[in-house]
Amino acid sequence: MRPFGKDRRAGYLIEYLDATLSAPERATLERQLQERPELRQRLEMLKRDFADLAALPAALEETPAREAQFRAAVWRRLHAQEEHSAADSRRRPRGWFWAAVPLAAAASVALLALLGPIGRFGQSPPAELVRAPLPPSELGLESNWTRFTKDQLEQASTALYAAVLPESAQPYVEALAPSAEEMLLELDPSDLDLALSELERAGATESRSSGSAT
Amino acid sequence: MDQDLPLLDRLLAGEETAFDTLMSKYQRSLCHLAYRLVGNAADAEDLAQQAFVQAYQHMGSFQRQSSFKTWLYRIAINLCKNHRRRLRPSEPLSEEQPLSDGRPGVLSQLIADQRVERLRRALSSLPPRQREVLVLRVYDELPYEQIAAIVGCSENSAKVNFHHAVRSLRRQLNAAAAVRQTSFGELVL
């Protein structure tokens, strides 16, 4: 379906300027342009819009020195973050990963409260799960994380449970799968790679530590 | 094949100069992309730097299902999106004047051009998705397939957003022209 809406002619003109019309459509439009001055006028206006858009001045001064400064700034930030994360990793994993724990904890507590004294959920949750939840905005979580497949989400959820939550919490966490998926869905698309990377890193760390323990 | 893959391999093998090469290749376009999206040069540069930092840090998790450029742009677009979300909803983008390169003439003429300024304002008032698609199409001349991969929508949706963006700009420019004509008429009367 063509994305033209009601004004099909404007749609064709835009595609004409955008060079995405097929050859027959282009030929038809060019014939119409020859016959209809008002169409030519509309095309001229659109042409001018495109040209003006393309001509909007850039904001950033571009000199070799400035570009070198830019790259140096990126390296400074990287080194600063490496130092920070090296210090941080001695204390605890960083980033959104741990920010997810309060959410999982809150959901767990809510679930336990709902389920009450039914089966294994009648037990008290481990103390480490009972933390004050933070609002998502404070955790830097964003909405519209919808580009990923269900498999990816499930994989991320599973790894999340295995890597973040203590073993003693596993029985409670099993019941949280839908909530955790929803939680993952709240993340911004830019966080996919961050999330997967954190998950992989956490998984690798865990493998190493369990390997060295044995 | 993605031409950047050999550079990525070199980087993953520990050759950091490969990342310098990647930055040299994309820093300019990334800064401009961010500027078109956030409307502020300092913020744009900061966001472009953040995008490179994130790309470097998560290079190992890059799946290579898209090109490096698409991945990098996606990171930058999302950083810009988050940046805009952090602004108060009622706060318009601070469309600042571009930095002068010290040469009088061409830039100052452009800045003085009211039509360009109206266009800039119209561009900044577009919904984020339309603005992203328009910027990627007009300034980066990317195909819709790649735009769709960057902004996270279907190819058709990218086209629709582009159409809406162009028509919305035209409507706003028409409206501005009508206001100008009315004001002129009142002055004459």
Side-chain angles (χ1 to χ4, degrees):
Chain A
M1 196 179 75
R2 306 299 286 269
F4 292 170
K6 287 177 185 170
D7 192 351
R8 290 174 55 81
R9 190 152 286 133
Y12 278 113
L13 290 175
I14 290 169
E15 286 210 354
Y16 179 70
L17 290 175
D18 198 25
T20 49
L21 275 185
S22 66
E25 287 170 334
R26 191 178 177 83
T28 307
L29 184 65
E30 281 172 350
R31 262 199 315 277
Q32 289 186 1
L33 282 167
Q34 282 179 345
E35 293 160 6
R36 307 183 61 160
E38 82 280 3
L39 202 58
R40 283 201 299 277
Q41 199 182 355
R42 287 180 78 176
L43 180 69
E44 285 309 311
M45 274 201 285
L46 280 172
K47 255 187 194 170
R48 205 168 55 162
D49 293 343
F50 272 65
D52 285 349
L53 266 177
L56 276 183
L60 304 163
E61 201 183 347
E62 290 161 355
T63 62
R66 190 169 173 83
E67 289 182 1
Q69 283 170 7
F70 178 96
R71 290 192 294 277
V74 172
W75 283 117
R76 270 198 306 277
R77 290 171 91 145
L78 277 167
H79 293 145
Q81 290 201 8
E82 274 169 18
E83 283 169 19
H84 176 73
S85 56
D88 204 29
S89 65
R90 285 193 287 274
R91 295 190 298 273
R92 62 186 173 80
R94 62 187 168 75
W96 72 273
F97 210 71
W98 277 106
V101 174
L103 281 184
S108 174
V109 171
L111 188 75
L112 288 167
L114 274 175
L115 291 175
I118 304 172
R120 59 182 172 167
F121 301 112
Q123 304 161 32
S124 300
E128 55 269 54
L129 274 182
V130 186
R131 300 184 193 184
L134 293 171
S137 57
E138 281 188 36
L139 299 176
L141 299 182
E142 304 283 352
S143 59
N144 300 325
W145 199 58
T146 54
R147 69 162 58 226
F148 307 113
T149 64
K150 193 169 185 300
D151 284 347
Q152 282 174 309
L153 292 176
E154 282 175 355
Q155 194 183 356
S157 302
T158 308
L160 178 75
Y161 301 150
V164 173
L165 295 172
E167 201 175 331
S168 58
Q170 293 299 319
Y172 302 92
V173 167
E174 280 172 19
L176 285 176
S179 306
E181 280 190 15
E182 281 169 19
M183 183 179 76
L184 287 169
L185 281 166
E186 284 301 307
L187 293 172
D188 189 83
S190 64
D191 290 332
L192 169 67
D193 294 313
L194 299 182
L196 292 178
S197 163
E198 292 284 359
L199 289 169
E200 284 167 5
R201 192 177 307 168
T205 309
E206 190 149 298
S207 311
R208 272 200 302 276
S209 46
S210 56
S212 59
T214 54
Chain B
M1 182 188 147
D2 184 0
Q3 294 175 341
D4 295 325
L5 290 185
L7 284 170
L8 299 185
D9 289 336
R10 279 168 50 196
L11 177 61
L12 289 171
E15 197 183 322
E16 291 198 329
T17 52
F19 193 61
D20 270 321
T21 310
L22 285 168
M23 280 199 282
S24 299
K25 187 171 175 185
Y26 291 115
Q27 68 184 76
R28 192 176 290 196
S29 60
L30 214 58
C31 284
H32 286 292
L33 171 71
Y35 173 68
R36 310 281 186 202
L37 296 178
V38 302
N40 175 292
D43 288 347
E45 195 165 292
D46 179 60
L47 290 163
Q49 287 178 9
Q50 280 185 47
F52 279 117
V53 167
Q54 286 202 9
Y56 181 91
Q57 287 177 329
H58 302 286
M59 194 68 74
S61 66
F62 173 45
Q63 306 287 315
R64 304 189 181 200
Q65 286 165 353
S66 64
S67 68
F68 173 73
K69 181 180 177 180
T70 297
W71 184 62
L72 181 65
Y73 270 44
R74 201 174 73 208
I75 293 173
I77 290 240
N78 283 310
L79 285 169
C80 293
K81 210 181 286 182
N82 291 345
H83 173 83
R84 289 189 63 170
R85 282 201 194 110
R86 280 195 292 274
L87 298 175
R88 282 177 301 168
S90 57
E91 189 178 339
L93 286 175
S94 56
E95 287 286 339
E96 63 180 23
Q97 299 296 341
L99 299 174
S100 167
D101 61 357
R103 289 175 302 179
V106 178
L107 270 183
S108 52
Q109 267 183 341
L110 279 170
I111 292 166
D113 187 333
Q114 287 189 353
R115 183 176 159 76
V116 169
E117 284 311 302
R118 280 199 302 277
L119 191 60
R120 191 196 299 280
R121 279 197 294 273
L123 181 61
S124 76
S125 71
L126 289 177
R129 174 60 59 85
Q130 288 181 25
R131 186 176 163 116
E132 288 159 17
V133 170
L134 188 80
V135 165
L136 291 169
R137 185 69 185 155
V138 172
Y139 298 104
D140 289 281
E141 298 178 345
L142 297 181
Y144 284 113
E145 186 187 4
Q146 197 173 2
I147 293 173
I150 290 170
V151 304
C153 67
S154 68
E155 201 174 323
N156 198 50
S157 171
K159 273 189 180 181
V160 170
N161 274 289
F162 181 74
H163 279 246
H164 283 311
V166 172
R167 288 160 72 172
S168 174
L169 287 182
R170 180 96 294 279
R171 267 198 306 275
Q172 291 190 51
L173 292 173
N174 280 344
V179 167
R180 210 168 58 253
Q181 281 172 0
T182 308
S183 308
F184 182 69
E186 285 167 0
L187 280 174
V188 171
L189 287 171

